[in-house]
Amino acid sequence: MANIAFIGLGNMGGPMARNLLKAGHAVAVFDLSKPAVEALVGAGASAAESPAKAASAADVVVSMLPAGAHVKSVYAGEGGVIAAAPKGAILIDCSTIDVATAREVVGIAEAAGVNMVDAPVSGGVGGAEAATLTFMVGGSDAAFAKALPILEAMGKTIVHAGGAGNGQAAKICNNMLLGISMIGTCEAFALAEKLGLDAQKLFDISSKSSGQCWSMTTYCPVPGPVPTSPANRDYQPGFATAMMLKDLKLAQEAASKAGAAIPMGNQAASLYALFDGAGKSGVDFSGIINMLRGKM
Ligand code: NAD
């Protein structure tokens, strides 16, 4: 069993750290929020005074933080994890952040002789609680091999996506496609309504035809055809609009730096920004169908 430092104990990090405890690891935790730390100490973790203190005796450091600036300061800032961690440790950042910062921080760690991977997740809070997350991992073969047994205690599907930053690249490419396909699916159902075509009929036909996609068959944005989709519970998330907007902005940033054309991704980002700005940031991202219907 490993000595693990876990930094960032929010909606995702809290249950992920609990699963590491359940797997029998010793977990030292740090978060700026005292109640978040206390909850994990109640579950058997020890509290660390700082990220550096947590990392100094760790075989493994896992983080789950809001954005690139937090990741850079926790790892590479003054009193950061990279300077404190033992040389044989593996650092695993599971936050969703921009590709450029992920590559920069992994580069700083590797230059200091410490292995690091970026390992963003898909699966949300439910997946974090049930230890069924999908991890998309960027980093060297050696770093991936060290991270794998730890990730297996928190997730079900773990894919090595290539070198540093490729985990983040996979995450934003996937979520940009999801944002675009959700808007397309919503437009199809909203058009069907205006044309007098029953939603269930459209679903029965389209889910077996060339318009078929995950946004329709697993996450249908109208109530009825897929009883587990957020549309059946007044669009409670699920996957909140604010999260989708964050990922679309990361895709835009990456595309602009890489010189890639993403006209549909840009359009999706604009529409989700409008929906978010209309006070819907906490609404499931499939709720954008109501904006497209002109009914908010
Ligand atoms: P959250 O806001 O609930 O948790 C973030 C935690 O980080 C908070 O407890 C905060 O106090 C802590 N924190 C912030 N700065 C810190 C610092 N400098 N040092 C220590 N702790 C610090 O967010 P979340 O929903 O847990 O999301 C975390 C990450 O996971 C984000 O990057 C998000 O995009 C990604 N993600 C979230 C979901 C989801 O459904 N919530 C799904 C996939 C990916």
Side-chain angles (χ1 to χ4, degrees):
M1 289 297 117
N3 284 319
I4 301 179
F6 204 112
I7 301 161
L9 307 165
N11 294 322
M12 294 293 289
M16 289 164 71
R18 279 171 195 270
N19 285 328
L20 294 173
L21 285 167
K22 276 189 211 151
H25 298 292
V27 184
V29 296
F30 179 77
D31 194 292
L32 299 176
S33 150
K34 254 197 164 166
V37 170
E38 279 160 12
L40 261 293
V41 169
S46 59
E49 277 167 40
S50 66
K53 277 262 161 64
S56 60
D59 308 309
V60 181
V61 179
V62 184
S63 55
M64 196 50 163
L65 296 161
H70 308 92
V71 171
K72 194 168 170 185
S73 90
V74 162
Y75 280 93
E78 212 183 299
V81 165
I82 292 171
K87 291 282 178 257
I90 173 72
L91 315 181
I92 306 173
D93 178 43
C94 299
S95 327
T96 301
I97 67 168
D98 59 289
V99 176
T101 301
R103 289 191 171 142
E104 184 187 351
V105 175
V106 173
I108 295 168
E110 297 282 345
V114 187
N115 283 142
M116 181 167 185
V117 293
D118 54 294
V121 306
S122 157
V125 175
E129 285 169 348
T132 56
L133 292 168
T134 294
F135 286 93
M136 300 153 244
V137 188
S140 67
D141 290 345
F144 178 74
K146 280 190 191 175
L148 185 60
I150 304 302
L151 298 177
E152 280 171 342
M154 299 184 286
K156 206 165 76 176
T157 306
I158 295 132
V159 181
H160 188 191
N166 277 21
Q168 302 295 349
K171 166 96 186 173
I172 55 166
C173 289
N174 179 73
N175 281 19
M176 182 182 78
L177 179 56
L178 173 63
I180 294 168
S181 79
M182 179 52 79
I183 291 168
T185 304
C186 290
E187 286 185 3
F189 278 97
L191 174 61
E193 267 163 33
K194 294 263 187 204
L195 298 176
L197 170 63
D198 182 61
Q200 184 66 51
K201 294 287 178 206
L202 173 63
F203 180 86
D204 292 345
I205 294 161
S206 209
S207 64
K208 300 278 183 293
S209 304
S210 46
Q212 184 273 127
C213 63
W214 186 93
S215 295
M216 175 178 288
T217 57
T218 305
Y219 217 83
C220 192
V222 298
V226 178
T228 51
S229 77
N232 298 281
R233 46 174 202 268
D234 203 19
Y235 300 99
Q236 283 169 39
F239 187 51
T241 291
M243 293 277 181
M244 173 50 81
L245 182 57
K246 172 187 172 180
D247 292 353
L248 287 167
K249 285 180 175 167
L250 289 173
Q252 286 183 303
E253 192 182 329
S256 137
K257 284 191 175 138
I262 52 158
M264 299 293 285
N266 286 332
Q267 191 64 31
S270 297
L271 289 167
Y272 275 109
L274 275 176
F275 192 51
D276 183 84
K280 304 294 179 184
S281 55
V283 171
D284 188 78
F285 81 115
S286 61
I288 200 164
I289 190 168
N290 284 329
M291 187 176 88
L292 296 167
R293 283 167 169 151
K295 289 183 197 161
M296 285 219 300

